[in-house]
Amino acid sequence: MKNVCIDVMVFMAIMGTILFTSCKDENEKTEEILSVKPVTLLFTADETQTQTVEVATNAGFWSVEKPDDWVKYTKSGNKLFISVLNHASTTSDRTATLTIMAGEAEPVNITVTQNAKDADALSINPVALSYDANEIGDRTVTVVTDAGSWDAATDAPWIKLLKQDNTLKVSIFEENTTFMPHTAGIKITAGNAPEITLTVTQAAVMFLSTEPAALSFKANETGEKLVGISTNATSWNATTDSSWIKLIKQNNTLKVIVNGENTLVTPRSANVRITAGKAPDFILPVTQNAAIYLSARPASLSMKATGSDKIIILSTNAVDWEATTDEPSWIRLMKQDNTLRVTAGTNDSGLTRDAKIRIMADGDTIATIPVVQGK
């Protein structure tokens, strides 16, 4: 019985030692580690070279998590081979992250950056073309680029394009007959260079008119008259070589001023030349009537009480004249050529009576003829 107890005690001691050893091994289990070098990779836009990443771990297996399709990789042993697809963008770089995982080790991120593609160079000279409204023909534009080829296109029906080596011939084959300018864009492209637009402008037909189209002043009239200017030009001007006229520009109005009366017995005239851009010059005629002279024979009339007719002979440079009286109840007037027949009715009043005959031309009274009728 004593031996049995000793055996049990020995067995328990052995089992305790085993359990103690087992617990010690469990507590001292090796920590899994992960090391990745390098953790940042930089590629050019068109790079095809593969870059290598070294992965070191004591875990039994490691893996890669890759969210972006433009990054490619392959595994071989403890090496990771990374490549990228061609980057066509010329505006911005792109970045992706690969995550390396190994057992319970802390994951490691690899940052992959690919630069944007360098843009092809493209320039033109000149950068814009301008044509007159009635201008047709060719202009040449020089195109400079390091791209393999270039192209030009426009949707303007009044423009024709012809490529010749490094030049672009721009042809305008019809005039602009409208009062609005023609404007078009020619798009020039080369490789991945930013597109350039060549602006082509064909000027509008210039117009110029005035309201009124002519001015007339009386012989004794001074002062100003206004003329409205209508044009699609950006500016206009007015000149005259006549000293008796003064001109003042005010926005779209021309003020024409006559400073003095015309004392001559002949009319005087002047031209005001109005110019605006490439519109045909406009000539505004300005006239001032001649000073009116008139003589009447006789210069006065004496009529009988029983009534009578008298003839007044007029000499004048007026184109037309009129005669009126302040006593139409007993005086009747009849105009014929340069004569005026004056007829007086019977005077039954028993009193002498008188009247006036006024000769008018150009709106003014130029002669007054007194008339007396006896009783």
Side-chain angles (χ1 to χ4, degrees):
M1 185 66 178
K2 183 177 180 179
N3 291 335
V4 172
C5 290
I6 293 173
D7 291 339
V8 171
M9 292 177 62
V10 171
F11 174 78
M12 293 295 292
I14 294 172
M15 290 300 296
T17 302
I18 294 174
L19 289 174
F20 176 79
T21 304
S22 175
C23 291
K24 183 178 179 181
D25 291 342
E26 184 73 22
N27 292 334
E28 294 181 357
K29 183 178 179 180
T30 303
E31 180 182 1
E32 293 180 332
I33 60 172
L34 174 62
S35 173
V36 178
K37 293 182 180 180
V39 293
T40 58
L41 300 177
L42 179 63
F43 291 84
T44 60
D46 55 359
E47 187 172 353
T48 58
Q49 177 183 352
T50 299
Q51 297 192 38
T52 302
V53 174
E54 298 283 346
V55 178
T57 181
N58 59 353
F61 177 80
W62 59 275
S63 62
V64 180
E65 183 180 284
K66 178 189 74 68
D68 296 273
D69 291 339
W70 57 273
V71 178
K72 304 298 180 182
Y73 74 90
T74 57
K75 292 173 54 179
S76 178
N78 66 335
K79 296 184 185 297
L80 178 64
F81 302 100
I82 299 176
S83 61
V84 293
L85 299 179
N86 188 284
H87 188 21
S89 173
T90 59
T91 58
S92 61
D93 299 345
R94 60 182 176 181
T95 302
T97 300
L98 282 72
T99 302
I100 311 300
M101 297 174 291
E104 296 181 1
E106 184 72 22
V108 177
N109 291 328
I110 301 176
T111 301
V112 180
T113 301
Q114 187 175 25
N115 292 335
K117 186 176 181 63
D118 292 335
D120 292 323
L122 175 62
S123 63
I124 60 174
N125 185 40
V127 296
L129 296 177
S130 180
Y131 294 78
D132 291 335
N134 60 350
E135 183 181 0
I136 58 176
D138 303 330
R139 299 278 182 88
T140 299
V141 177
T142 302
V143 180
V144 178
T145 181
D146 57 5
S149 62
W150 61 275
D151 202 4
T154 183
D155 56 3
W158 48 280
I159 295 178
K160 182 179 179 181
L161 305 177
L162 179 63
K163 288 175 55 180
Q164 292 179 327
D165 299 326
N166 66 332
T167 61
L168 175 65
K169 182 182 291 185
V170 180
S171 302
I172 305 296
F173 55 88
E174 62 182 32
E175 297 181 5
N176 182 7
T177 57
T178 71
F179 295 135
M180 295 295 292
H182 284 168
T183 302
I186 299 175
K187 296 186 182 301
I188 300 176
T189 55
N192 65 355
E195 180 180 275
I196 295 179
T197 298
L198 171 71
T199 301
V200 182
T201 303
Q202 189 178 28
V205 173
M206 290 293 170
F207 66 84
L208 173 63
S209 63
T210 68
E211 177 57 41
L215 293 178
S216 178
F217 291 79
K218 295 179 181 179
N220 61 349
E221 182 180 6
T222 60
E224 63 186 41
K225 292 188 176 181
L226 301 181
V227 178
I229 308 297
S230 179
T231 182
N232 60 347
T234 56
S235 63
W236 60 275
N237 199 20
T239 58
T240 184
D241 57 2
S242 297
S243 60
W244 56 277
I245 291 179
K246 181 180 178 181
L247 305 176
I248 298 178
K249 286 177 57 180
Q250 292 179 330
N251 299 323
N252 287 332
T253 301
L254 175 64
K255 186 182 293 186
V256 180
I257 303 172
V258 173
N259 293 317
E261 298 182 3
N262 183 10
T263 58
L264 303 176
V265 295
T266 57
R268 58 182 177 179
S269 60
N271 288 326
V272 176
R273 181 179 296 276
I274 302 173
T275 58
K278 295 185 179 180
D281 292 356
F282 187 90
I283 302 299
L284 176 75
V286 181
T287 58
Q288 188 173 30
N289 296 342
I292 301 298
Y293 70 85
L294 182 142
S295 64
R297 299 193 313 273
S300 62
L301 295 177
S302 178
M303 313 294 279
K304 295 179 180 180
T306 56
S308 59
D309 287 342
K310 294 290 179 74
I311 298 296
I312 299 175
I313 299 174
L314 302 178
S315 177
T316 182
N317 65 341
V319 176
D320 195 15
W321 55 271
E322 295 179 354
T324 61
T325 180
D326 57 355
E327 294 291 344
S329 62
W330 59 274
I331 290 180
R332 184 164 58 90
L333 304 175
M334 181 177 294
K335 174 185 172 185
Q336 185 175 8
D337 297 328
N338 281 337
T339 64
L340 178 65
R341 180 183 292 274
V342 182
T343 302
T346 303
N347 183 4
D348 297 325
S349 66
L351 300 172
T352 299
R353 57 185 179 181
D354 60 317
K356 292 179 180 179
I357 297 174
R358 290 183 174 83
I359 310 297
M360 303 180 67
D362 202 19
D364 296 319
T365 299
I366 55 175
T368 300
I369 301 172
V371 180
V372 177
Q373 187 177 29
K375 56 183 179 178

